[in-house]
Amino acid sequence: MDLTPPMRQNRSHTSRRLAEKSSETVSSHGRKRARRACIPCRKRKRKCDGNHPCRMCNNYGYVCSFTPDNSSLEQFAASTLSGAREQSSRSQATVGVTSGKALLDLDTGVFDEEKSRYVGSSSAVAFARVFGLELGSKSPLVLHSFGFNFGIRQEESSTTHGHLMDLLSETELKAFSDVYFRVCAPCIDVLDQDNYRHRCRDYYQEHHHIGSFAAVAGGVAAIGSFFSRDNGHPRELEIVQFAKAILEDAASVRRPTVDLVVGWILRFFYLRSTTRPNNAWLASSTTMHLAEAIGLHKEENVNRLAAVPGTVSRGHDAERLRRIFWTAWSCHIATSYEYGRSSIEIPMVTCNNTTLLPGPYSYQWICLIQIIPSRSSPFIPESEPRQAGDELVERIKALHRLPTGHAFLSWTKADLMCCFYRRLRQQRVALTRDVVEQIVTAGNEAVAAAQRVVVDEGYPFFNALGSVFQFSCVLLALDTPYALANVASVFSVLEAMANAIGTKMTREALSTAHQLLRDCVMRKRHDIAVLESVDAYADTGVGDGDGDDGCDDDGDANRRTTPKEADGIVDELYSQDLDLWWDTFFDDLCVQAPDASSVPMMLA
């Protein structure tokens, strides 16, 4: 079935021709009926008025299209929404044949292009249709949740969201959108800028309430306002709530769209930048479920969805759809792995990887996230692990080989290095010097990027503070001369970020790092004091060659210091305020965190 959208210049001619062919005639019962019905109405056996778009499609959001003149209804009734007949040869090879009819491949699922809906082929929603196709039904059943409940109550109605122009003007939206595309879009490339601007003009000037796009525009405006620093919009939180209301609207969730997935990606990015990990993780989980619901994880669905009329005109070509899926996947997998939460593992992901395009860095960012262990990731380590920790070490090496080129990528790489190190430390895996150097190198790149982008330019990317803080913890945990030699520069930038941004979160990170540093110093002092106690015992003159036989007045032989006596010596040494080399090493670091009242507030 050819669902390629007509060329723009032929649309008026097509509409006139369809209108002429939709003249109504009187049936034998005197009821007026349209001579031709559109494809959605014919499949659903609904009354069609013959207009383009017809009233039924306009009310329910279907893509209204008509069959060519030389086609028949049977041709379209026989074509399945799931592409079952296209998959029959592959299905026959995988699951066998029953009564001469090939069964569906259980990994293929069923995809409805008109509703952008995907379900597994073994699901309750699809079984009636699949079984009907096996029986050779001339009128295959539609995808529907037959018997899901009793339907006693009406479904929750859509809420009234108002209009985005009630919160910010078109000029303000353009200004904040420019900030978003300049600062964030190179890393989170899910929108075509020209198409986005065109849809914003339609939304504002022609008052087109086009589904979930208002949430997309609101998400872009909120992120742009956030990165505008002191020049953010005074009603930023209201804009966030406006977009949230649309994304969580029952009507939007009933029929998820690509715009809905993009809107949730933007909401995740904003929540990841402003609130707690649990909120961001839940948003990323919702995004993944919606991406699966519209079938973006399957390459065949991506191609068929891109062929639906109107999809490309909304900026959702096949490459963009792949980029949207892998961005949603990366947001969720990275957040889950960093905070130790379970992740949504969609089985049999066949969506092709994104391609490297000049300009944006989303391809490089996705490649970094794909190194995280995940069943749905296309990344495969070069060698099989032979013992505990080998696989993570291979992933560290692979991560080290990937270039960055953007501060956001540097912070992501450092974050992942810290994630892998924490798990290796938990497994008590000894690291070679090469691996330690790779971790430290990635961390130092993140520190330099934080100084340049956060301190000097003032852009508060969400992973800048976290990567530098976690790197400071890793350096102290590594506890090698090479690692400790980098502590001073990390603490310097961490303190600079606390002074530049001046929020409670930055001050907490700085004070916590200093607390860990002081704890490390105390542990070193204790270890040195134990060694000094041995040296203090040697200074008692025992066995110094002066003719003493090593016996006291009571005749006791040279005896070892008891544990109780050693503890007493250590306590005495602590009370003497020893001038040890470790104090000198950390003299410039072990300082109090800056007073909260002295730090200027830069971002609310």
Side-chain angles (χ1 to χ4, degrees), residues 176 179 184 220-233 236 269-270 272-274 458-462 603-604:
F176 292 130
V179 174
C184 304
V220 169
I223 296 174
S225 172
F226 176 77
F227 280 95
S228 296
R229 295 165 287 181
D230 294 337
N231 298 318
H233 197 278
E236 179 181 312
F269 194 91
Y270 185 86
R272 182 63 179 82
S273 303
T274 59
Y459 291 122
F461 278 91
F462 62 77
L603 287 175

Side-chain angles (χ1 to χ4, degrees), residues 93-132:
T94 55
V95 294
V97 177
T98 301
S99 301
K101 301 292 184 181
L103 296 176
L104 272 173
D105 185 348
L106 295 179
D107 295 329
T108 300
V110 182
F111 180 65
D112 184 346
E113 299 100 327
E114 296 171 0
K115 291 185 178 180
S116 300
R117 179 173 62 174
Y118 172 87
V119 294
S121 57
S122 60
S123 68
V125 174
F127 182 71
R129 179 177 180 82
V130 172
F131 185 53

Side-chain angles (χ1 to χ4, degrees), residues 326-347:
W326 284 112
T327 299
W329 181 90
S330 299
C331 292
H332 175 66
I333 294 297
T335 304
S336 301
Y337 196 70
E338 183 176 7
Y339 292 99
R341 297 289 181 84
S342 61
S343 60
I344 299 170
E345 294 288 353
I346 302 176

Side-chain angles (χ1 to χ4, degrees), residues 211-492:
S212 303
F213 178 74
V216 174
V220 169
I223 296 174
S225 172
F226 176 77
F227 280 95
S228 296
R229 295 165 287 181
D230 294 337
N231 298 318
H233 197 278
R235 304 180 70 179
E236 179 181 312
L237 291 180
E238 293 182 59
I239 297 172
V240 173
Q241 291 295 321
F242 169 83
K244 176 186 176 183
I246 298 176
L247 295 176
E248 296 182 348
D249 188 356
S252 300
V253 177
R254 275 198 294 268
R255 292 208 181 113
T257 62
V258 177
D259 282 339
L260 190 67
V261 177
V262 173
W264 272 102
I265 292 175
L266 298 173
R267 176 163 175 77
F268 161 81
F269 194 91
Y270 185 86
L271 293 177
R272 182 63 179 82
S273 303
T274 59
T275 188
R276 302 176 187 274
N278 192 60
N279 296 18
W281 175 71
L282 289 173
S284 71
S285 301
T286 301
T287 308
M288 278 299 293
H289 285 303
L290 291 172
E292 180 186 13
I294 64 176
L296 291 182
H297 60 299
K298 295 289 187 179
E299 180 62 21
E300 58 267 28
N301 297 343
V302 168
N303 294 324
R304 288 154 67 184
L305 185 60
V308 173
T311 301
V312 176
S313 64
R314 290 189 290 270
H316 301 150
D317 56 19
E319 173 58 29
R320 179 68 59 186
L321 294 175
R322 298 184 190 103
R323 198 167 292 257
I324 290 171
F325 170 75
W326 284 112
T327 299
W329 181 90
S330 299
C331 292
H332 175 66
I333 294 297
T335 304
S336 301
Y337 196 70
E338 183 176 7
Y339 292 99
R341 297 289 181 84
S342 61
S343 60
I344 299 170
E345 294 288 353
I346 302 176
M348 298 299 296
V349 172
T350 61
C351 178
N352 290 343
N353 211 348
T354 59
T355 56
L356 179 61
L357 300 176
Y361 292 91
S362 59
Y363 170 81
Q364 294 91 324
W365 180 66
I366 291 171
C367 288
L368 288 173
I369 304 301
Q370 287 174 344
I371 297 181
I372 295 175
S374 173
R375 288 180 296 174
S376 52
S377 172
F379 175 80
I380 301 176
E382 292 183 354
S383 59
E384 292 290 333
R386 291 177 294 180
Q387 56 186 6
D390 284 353
E391 181 182 353
L392 289 179
V393 170
E394 285 297 320
R395 293 179 187 275
I396 287 178
K397 294 178 180 179
L399 196 62
H400 174 72
R401 290 191 295 266
L402 289 180
T404 53
H406 190 278
F408 189 75
L409 303 181
S410 299
W411 298 321
T412 300
K413 177 185 279 191
D415 266 338
L416 295 182
M417 287 287 191
C418 293
C419 286
F420 294 151
Y421 169 76
R422 291 193 296 268
R423 285 159 174 80
L424 289 169
R425 178 181 173 84
Q426 191 176 31
Q427 298 175 20
R428 301 185 182 277
V429 176
L431 302 181
T432 63
R433 180 178 176 85
D434 291 342
V435 174
V436 172
E437 288 180 352
Q438 291 172 359
I439 295 174
V440 173
T441 299
N444 285 334
E445 290 180 3
V447 171
Q451 173 67 46
R452 184 177 67 256
V453 177
V454 179
V455 178
D456 297 340
E457 300 178 6
Y459 291 122
F461 278 91
F462 62 77
N463 53 356
L465 178 63
S467 62
V468 176
F469 170 76
Q470 292 295 331
F471 181 50
S472 69
C473 298
V474 168
L475 288 177
L476 296 175
L478 285 169
D479 196 19
T480 64
Y482 174 74
L484 296 177
N486 296 273
V487 171
S489 60
V490 177
F491 271 71
S492 175

